[in-house]
Structure formats: structure tokens, C-alpha cells
Amino acid sequence: FMTDNIAIKDKNNKTVKEGGTLRVTNLRVIWINQRNGYYLALQQIKSLTKGGGVIPGVVSSPKIALDCCSLIDARSSSFQTLVYFISFRGGQRDEAFEKLKAQIAAKEWEKRIEKLTKSVTKTTQKSEFTATRAGIGGYLRNMEKNQLETEETLKDAFSDIDALMEKAEEMVKLCDKFTQKIKAKQEKGDQNEQEQNEFAELMQNLGISSPVTREIAGSSYEKELARQLADFLNPILKDKNGIILLTDVFCIFNRARGVELISPDDLLQAASLLEKLNLGLKKRTFQSGVIVIQSSEHNDEIASKRLFELATKVTCVNEVDCVRILNIPLVLAKEQLLMAENLGYLCRDETEEGLQFYPNRFIQEW
């Protein structure tokens, strides 16, 4: 759980920390801002209560009061009681209270201490030879012991997976929050190209939260897969000049899907439906057999004019130049050069140094 605009106050209602972000984990309560960060172990919290709100004549932010116990002297085992107030100036007090209450009740720190103690005990025990360890009976008992240890390990692993899934839900909510912010900026026209590229990279790294599967979608699997593919590729294509190789799509799309991988045939079927479903994308096959997915707004004339301007600027271009300057794959660079030649924007010169393309001067107005 994470929320912003949080202030920390002492028992005298004096602000100690202000304007930070509060994060609740399974072991700590963390407060952090741009300069500093502090934490309080959950095992130090003895009780928590809700406070704040509207007092007659005074408007107060919603708060959570924490009664904490701090060690003063380890030799005499003396403690002191501290009281802190977490002030939620941006709301979400009740959500934070329930999360804190649940994490304290779970007592994850005790589980970790117990697990560590078992591990240390297991490594320090010496294996002494006894009659019970000898013969077939000893071998069977040893196998039974190993099986029990394996079951305990699996239980711990599944508990870790549950914790991971809990964090995954938070990441999905965070991703949805980013999506809403980006859409709002796009509607206002405030978003720049750098923000679009950063968001596309973020979405690619976070992956797809609910990948479409054949078991769930049934007979409409290809159509639903095509829709999810379009949603995934739209932000990525803005950084790829509106066109991307199908082989690259297969890699990054499967990476985002995690364990729910799709076959090349499934991807090909879904790509074939993009244009039919009016999803803003379409599959295209060049004469050489290279298959790409491109935006419906992608225009061959505009791409060819861009190559013409590039060739005019540097005298001539080849495939390697396009890869270096336009940041596109080598195969796609060759196809776009040939496309510009077919449309009359470039003309070729085959030499011992390789194939070079020059701007076609005959299309210029004299």
C-alpha cells in the first residue's frame, strides 16, 4: 500500500515530518520524501487507532495514532512508549488503517525469525551415526525425513507466491493509474514525445496483467487476442515510426504475457484480423516475404520522402545508414529502401562496395 501527502506528528501534535510518501509493507511502515527516508518496524507497534476528522471549530486531517515501544537499554531490557500520528492530508486513511491492521495481525516477522532459527539449527546439528540410521530401515526413515522437509519448503514457497501476487496487484493498480494520467494528458495535448516513449517502455516491462487464453476466450480467442495485441502495440509503435517486424512482435508480446505464451500461428491469425476489426493496425507482407505490423496511419509516401530527404542530406544511403540513423532493423531498412525506389524517390547504384541509393533528381521541380 502506498499513498502521498503524508505528515508525521508527535504526541504533542507537532509536525515531525511533512510532505512525504507512506508505504506499508509486511515488515515496516516507511515514510520517504525526496531527501530523507524513515521506517518503523511493525513489531514495535503495540496498538493503532483512528483519529482526526472534524472537531467543533477546527478542521483536522484524518489520522492514525500509533502506540509504539522502543528499546532504551538492552542490558536492563527497559523500554519506552512513543506515540506517533500519521496525518493523511490527501485521504486514504481508512485504507491505510486496514492494511496496517492486517499486516500487524499476520506477524510476518515471527515467521521469518522461526524460519531463520530452523535453518541455523539444521546447519549446526551434527550428523552422528546411530543404529536407527543403519540398514534399509534407516534409509527409508531418511527418505521420509527428506520428503517432510520438501513439503515444508513448498509451503514456504507458496506463501512467498501469495505475497508476490499481492504485490503484483499493487503493480497492476499502479499501471492503471499511469494509463489514466497518460490518457488525460493526451486529451489535453500536454504529453511530449519523451513521456510517450517512457510510458511505452514501462508498459513493456510491466507486462500484460490479464493475458487472453484459448481456455477463457473459447471460439473468439483469435479476435480477443487481436484486440489485446492492438492495445499492447499502439504505444510501442509510436517509437518505431509506426511499423515493426512480426518476429519482434512475437518476442516482446510473449515476454509481456509471462507464462501464457502464444504460438507463431496464433500470432499470425491475430495479426490478420487487426485490419478487419478496425483496431488501427494491419498486417503487411513485402514482396520478399517479410511480414510486419504497421499503424493504419503509416504512409509509404511519407516514409519514402523521409528517405529521399536523408539521401539528399548525406549524398547517398544504404541499409546500414538507415539502421544507424533511423534506428530500424536491417531487414526493414532494406524493404523501405526498395519501396522508396519503386515509388520513384530513390535510384540505385550497384557498385563493388555494395548497393547505394541516391535521391532521384528527376522528381524535383525545376
Side-chain angles (χ1 to χ4, degrees), residues 33-174:
N33 62 8
Q34 294 180 349
R35 292 178 298 178
N36 299 308
Y38 304 91
Y39 75 88
L40 177 67
L42 296 184
Q43 65 193 88
Q44 294 180 251
I45 301 175
K46 299 307 176 185
S47 65
L48 66 160
T49 55
K50 295 182 182 180
V54 179
I55 304 173
V58 180
V59 178
S60 176
S61 301
K63 297 180 179 66
I64 294 178
L66 302 178
D67 290 331
C68 308
C69 186
S70 178
L71 180 65
I72 300 176
D73 189 354
R75 291 174 296 179
S76 60
S77 299
S78 56
F79 293 84
Q80 65 175 346
T81 301
L82 302 174
V83 178
Y84 292 105
F85 293 93
I86 304 175
S87 180
F88 294 81
R89 296 174 178 175
Q92 292 191 304
R93 189 271 309 272
D94 294 339
E95 293 88 339
F97 182 84
E98 294 300 328
K99 189 68 176 179
L100 258 173
K101 187 177 178 181
Q103 294 294 354
I104 292 174
K107 295 185 178 181
E108 183 66 29
W109 61 89
E110 292 184 357
K111 299 176 183 177
R112 296 205 174 192
I113 293 173
E114 183 181 356
K115 184 178 179 181
L116 180 61
T117 303
K118 288 182 178 179
S119 177
V120 172
T121 303
K122 188 183 298 183
T123 55
T124 54
Q125 284 179 342
K126 293 183 179 180
S127 178
E128 298 179 358
F129 178 80
T130 61
T132 57
R133 292 177 177 268
I136 297 177
Y139 176 75
L140 293 175
R141 279 188 290 271
N142 191 35
M143 285 185 61
E144 184 179 358
K145 180 182 177 182
N146 291 337
Q147 185 176 358
L148 291 173
E149 290 178 355
T150 302
E151 291 177 358
E152 288 295 326
T153 303
L154 288 175
K155 287 180 182 179
D156 292 339
F158 281 114
S159 66
D160 292 340
I161 290 175
D162 292 337
L164 179 62
M165 292 302 295
E166 184 180 350
K167 297 299 178 185
E169 291 179 4
E170 294 181 8
M171 291 302 295
V172 171
K173 291 179 181 178
L174 184 62

Side-chain angles (χ1 to χ4, degrees), residues 163-202:
L164 179 62
M165 292 302 295
E166 184 180 350
K167 297 299 178 185
E169 291 179 4
E170 294 181 8
M171 291 302 295
V172 171
K173 291 179 181 178
L174 184 62
C175 182
D176 292 338
K177 183 179 178 180
F178 282 145
T179 304
Q180 296 300 325
K181 286 186 177 181
I182 293 296
K183 286 182 179 179
K185 284 193 174 185
Q186 286 177 343
E187 292 174 358
K188 294 180 181 179
D190 296 338
Q191 188 184 16
N192 55 38
E193 184 177 354
Q194 182 181 358
E195 287 179 336
Q196 291 179 352
N197 295 340
E198 290 176 353
F199 179 67
E201 184 179 357
L202 173 67

Side-chain angles (χ1 to χ4, degrees), residues 214 219-227 229-230 246 249-250 253 262-277 279 281-283 291 293:
R214 193 178 296 275
S219 58
S220 59
Y221 170 65
E222 284 81 8
K223 292 182 179 179
E224 294 301 322
L225 185 62
R227 292 188 176 94
L229 179 63
L246 189 64
V249 174
F250 180 76
F253 191 52
I262 62 172
S263 67
D265 289 337
D266 289 341
L267 178 61
L268 193 60
Q269 291 295 327
S272 301
L273 295 173
L274 291 172
E275 186 174 13
K276 182 179 179 181
L277 296 175
L279 298 174
L281 304 175
K282 63 180 180 180
K283 178 175 74 78
I291 305 175
I293 293 180

Side-chain angles (χ1 to χ4, degrees), residues 223-351:
K223 292 182 179 179
E224 294 301 322
L225 185 62
R227 292 188 176 94
Q228 191 170 76
L229 179 63
D231 292 338
F232 176 75
L233 287 179
N234 273 319
I236 295 176
L237 284 177
K238 293 177 182 178
D239 190 39
K240 301 286 186 182
N241 297 316
I243 187 170
I244 186 172
L245 290 169
L246 189 64
T247 50
D248 291 344
V249 174
F250 180 76
C251 295
I252 62 175
F253 191 52
N254 267 329
R255 173 191 171 189
R257 287 175 63 90
V259 296
E260 299 291 346
L261 304 181
I262 62 172
S263 67
D265 289 337
D266 289 341
L267 178 61
L268 193 60
Q269 291 295 327
S272 301
L273 295 173
L274 291 172
E275 186 174 13
K276 182 179 179 181
L277 296 175
N278 297 320
L279 298 174
L281 304 175
K282 63 180 180 180
K283 178 175 74 78
R284 176 179 180 181
T285 304
F286 289 100
Q287 292 182 354
S288 63
V290 174
I291 305 175
V292 298
I293 293 180
Q294 66 181 39
S295 170
S296 300
E297 300 175 354
H298 180 81
N299 189 294
D300 289 347
E301 290 285 339
I302 295 176
S304 298
K305 286 180 181 178
R306 185 169 67 248
L307 291 174
F308 173 80
E309 293 171 357
L310 177 62
T312 303
K313 184 178 180 180
V314 298
T315 306
C316 65
V317 292
N318 55 26
E319 301 167 11
V320 178
D321 293 330
C322 291
V323 171
R324 178 173 51 85
I325 299 174
L326 300 179
N327 192 26
I328 58 177
L330 184 64
V331 177
L332 192 55
K334 179 180 179 181
E335 294 297 337
Q336 292 200 341
L337 286 171
L338 294 176
M339 174 190 68
E341 181 190 23
N342 291 333
L343 294 176
Y345 286 91
L346 299 176
C347 53
R348 69 170 62 196
D349 181 22
E350 297 184 13
T351 66

